[in-house]
Amino acid sequence: MAKAKAKASLDTAVADVWRRELGQLSNRKFANRLAASEDIVLQLDASRTYATDQSCGDGVTFNAAGNLIVSGLAEMRIAMWDWESGIYKLAFWSGHEYICKLFVIKIMPYTNDSSLISCSADGQVRHALIMSHVVRNQTMAKHTEGVCDLDVEPGNPNVSYSCGADGVVNHIDLRMYAPATKLFTCQPIDDAMPIRQFIPLDHIAVDPLNPNLFAVSGSDKYTRLYDIRKSMRDSSTDFDQFIDHFYLPHLIGEHLVVVTGMAFSDHSELLVSYSDSSVCLFTRDMGLGHDPVPSSPFSARNEASGKVIPQLYRGPAKFESGKAVTFLGPKSEYVAMGSDYGRIFIWKKKGGELIRVMEGDEDSVNFIGSHPQTGVLVSSGTDDIKFWTPNAIDKAVLPTQDELDRQVVERSLDYSSDEEYDDNNDNDDNDDDDNDDDDDNDDNENE
């Protein structure tokens, strides 16, 4: 079966070259078909690896040309560097507080890489303007708790959004004297979190096909979709009025499952990962509308059963949570997810076939992103960041589900051993301190 599939792939590639030479296939279509080839995914290899001290923070962002990367450095600095050579082009202080961590850094579009926006655990959203001999940075918005994510409006060099652990969503316009406008505080949909009056938010994404729409998710199982035109009109009332919301039918009644990753495709599809290892793809016709969930789980299941079932992606072991998701390919032909066990999973978007599993980090893959023009993938983890390019000699072989589950068990045992070792070291240090105190007491008695 594998040999037949490989032969078919080779025949298709040869036919595409032949059609291009005859003028039957344009150069652009040829390039897109090549970039969308499954062979590209199967030959991804970690060609560049950089230690985490070069990228303090999870977010790693390509510029529009794809030749440069922006990421965080130690001491709350931001660096712009060539990812192929590892050479810094620029490094500067972000203005965020030193005790915190940079979460996300974005390049504003159509600014020639001179305008950057960043967020941190210090509750600030800051803007950096890179000029010829100086970098000017200032605070654009403030949250009462850490700012977990931000996104920019596609094609707009001035507009971005932020969300934080305080449940607040801000609209930021760099052209305004007071750039930040508080849109709303995200409210619970059901009684899953009766103690808190808001939902801490971890993710925000703007729909690239319709920039008026944006989605947020956080410490519950719901992904909420908003229209900025309605949110700006209602912002004075702090009224959390989403226009649609999404969740999986099997999560109805589950109060411990939360969203762990979220991304839009170029076709307004919404990719969401959950803490129970579920990964799914929603389209707009799968939403449950602007009304809250029905009061009883039974009626909620009946309502969800009338909708189109979202595409599920299987492969991660049970309790292997997704940490980040993204789309790959010129037309989002593939979906990818990083997990808290350091692995990267890649599926065909249509049909949900798992085609690739890669070891992205020894601990956890917290971020993954795709190159704006080629098939390069970047992953950021606890230990380092990796750039995956399709230059492997051999095509990767997909492990079986039993092998995937066994890897998680072995890694869990390794984690337990490491934690036990650390605890023993701490106890030994405490014993040494106690012995030192006893020696001091003996000396005092002798005196």
Side-chain angles (χ1 to χ4, degrees):
M1 180 67 179
K3 290 183 178 180
K5 191 174 182 180
K7 185 177 185 301
S9 177
L10 178 61
D11 291 343
T12 301
V14 172
D16 285 345
V17 173
W18 178 73
R19 291 177 59 200
R20 185 187 65 168
E21 294 299 318
L22 293 178
Q24 298 177 359
L25 190 65
S26 68
N27 289 336
R28 182 176 181 179
K29 286 186 177 180
F30 175 80
N32 285 341
R33 288 170 69 93
L34 179 63
S37 169
E38 185 176 333
D39 293 341
I40 296 293
V41 177
L42 296 179
Q43 292 179 283
L44 287 174
D45 186 44
S47 60
R48 303 285 190 280
T49 301
Y50 300 96
T52 51
D53 59 0
Q54 292 189 353
S55 57
C56 298
D58 299 330
V60 181
T61 304
F62 285 103
N63 66 343
N67 63 319
L68 298 178
I69 280 286
V70 291
S71 64
L73 289 174
E75 299 180 346
M76 302 307 293
R77 292 178 298 155
I78 294 175
M80 183 177 292
W81 46 288
D82 187 312
W83 65 271
E84 292 190 90
S85 65
I87 297 176
Y88 289 171
K89 302 296 183 181
L90 179 68
F92 59 91
W93 179 50
S94 65
H96 291 283
E97 296 180 12
Y98 284 103
I99 60 172
C100 299
K101 178 181 179 181
L102 280 168
F103 286 141
V104 180
I105 308 167
K106 297 280 189 179
I107 301 175
M108 302 302 290
Y110 299 108
T111 61
N112 196 27
D113 305 333
S114 64
S115 179
L116 281 66
I117 194 163
S118 62
C119 65
S120 168
D122 63 1
Q124 293 187 77
V125 178
R126 298 188 64 88
H127 174 242
L129 183 61
I130 302 171
M131 296 179 282
S132 57
H133 300 292
V134 68
V135 176
R136 186 183 68 187
N137 61 62
Q138 57 183 326
T139 301
M140 295 289 106
K142 287 186 177 181
H143 291 246
T144 58
E145 297 186 41
V147 188
C148 300
D149 199 10
L150 58 84
D151 200 10
V152 300
E153 182 178 308
N156 192 326
N158 299 297
V159 175
S160 62
Y161 297 82
S162 68
C163 69
D166 56 1
V168 171
V169 174
N170 281 319
H171 175 271
I172 302 168
D173 192 333
L174 301 178
R175 296 166 295 189
M176 306 298 290
Y177 177 76
T181 300
K182 178 182 175 182
L183 298 180
F184 56 84
T185 301
C186 188
Q187 306 294 327
I189 289 180
D190 53 25
D191 58 355
M193 301 181 68
I195 299 177
R196 305 201 72 162
Q197 299 300 315
F198 61 89
I199 298 296
L201 296 176
D202 299 314
H203 314 284
I204 188 165
V206 182
D207 185 349
L209 192 63
N210 183 358
N212 289 314
L213 304 181
F214 65 94
V216 301
S217 59
S219 298
D220 66 3
K221 58 180 176 286
Y222 303 106
T223 300
R224 301 160 174 83
L225 184 69
Y226 297 86
D227 190 320
I228 182 59
R229 295 164 295 189
K230 181 174 180 57
S231 297
M232 289 290 282
R233 187 169 61 247
D234 298 336
S235 62
S236 59
T237 64
D238 195 30
F239 185 57
D240 174 19
Q241 182 59 62
F242 49 81
I243 63 170
D244 212 344
H245 68 293
F246 305 84
Y247 62 96
L248 287 174
H250 76 268
L251 296 180
I252 297 171
E254 292 284 345
H255 297 325
L256 299 179
V257 177
V258 300
V259 174
T260 55
M262 182 183 70
F264 269 114
S265 75
D266 291 335
H267 309 290
S268 295
E269 301 157 313
L270 193 58
L271 182 65
V272 183
S273 63
Y274 298 87
S275 56
D276 71 338
S277 78
S278 299
V279 186
C280 66
L281 184 73
F282 295 102
T283 56
R284 283 300 309 275
D285 58 347
M286 298 174 185
L288 298 177
H290 58 81
D291 292 327
V293 176
S295 56
S296 70
F298 178 77
S299 60
R301 286 191 177 91
N302 286 340
E303 181 179 340
S305 64
K307 296 289 182 179
V308 180
I309 301 300
Q311 172 68 62
L312 288 174
Y313 301 97
R314 306 187 184 279
K318 190 176 183 181
F319 305 121
E320 182 175 11
S321 298
K323 298 289 286 186
V325 289
T326 192
F327 291 89
L328 300 177
K331 294 184 178 179
S332 303
E333 291 87 354
Y334 305 94
V335 300
M337 182 198 76
S339 82
D340 58 355
Y341 279 88
R343 302 191 293 192
I344 299 172
F345 296 82
I346 303 178
W347 296 267
K348 289 183 178 179
K349 185 183 72 174
K350 186 176 181 180
E353 179 188 356
L354 178 66
I355 61 173
R356 187 75 195 272
V357 180
M358 306 184 295
E359 292 295 325
D361 193 84
E362 292 185 3
D363 188 1
S364 175
V365 176
N366 301 318
F367 171 83
I368 53 175
S370 57
H371 192 280
Q373 299 180 10
T374 67
V376 175
L377 180 72
V378 59
S379 64
S380 174
T382 304
D383 299 317
D384 49 38
I385 64 173
K386 291 183 172 69
F387 292 89
W388 304 82
T389 56
N391 59 359
I393 297 176
D394 299 320
K395 296 178 184 178
V397 177
L398 185 68
T400 64
Q401 189 64 53
D402 289 340
E403 291 172 336
L404 292 175
D405 294 342
R406 185 171 63 251
Q407 290 172 5
V408 169
V409 173
E410 292 173 351
R411 184 158 290 189
S412 298
L413 293 175
D414 291 340
Y415 290 159
S416 300
S417 300
D418 291 341
E419 291 176 358
E420 183 177 354
Y421 177 78
D422 292 338
D423 291 340
N424 290 335
N425 281 343
D426 292 339
N427 292 332
D428 291 341
D429 292 339
N430 292 332
D431 291 340
D432 291 340
D433 292 340
D434 293 339
N435 291 332
D436 291 340
D437 293 339
D438 292 340
D439 292 341
D440 291 341
N441 292 332
D442 292 340
D443 292 340
N444 292 332
E445 291 177 359
N446 291 333
E447 292 177 358

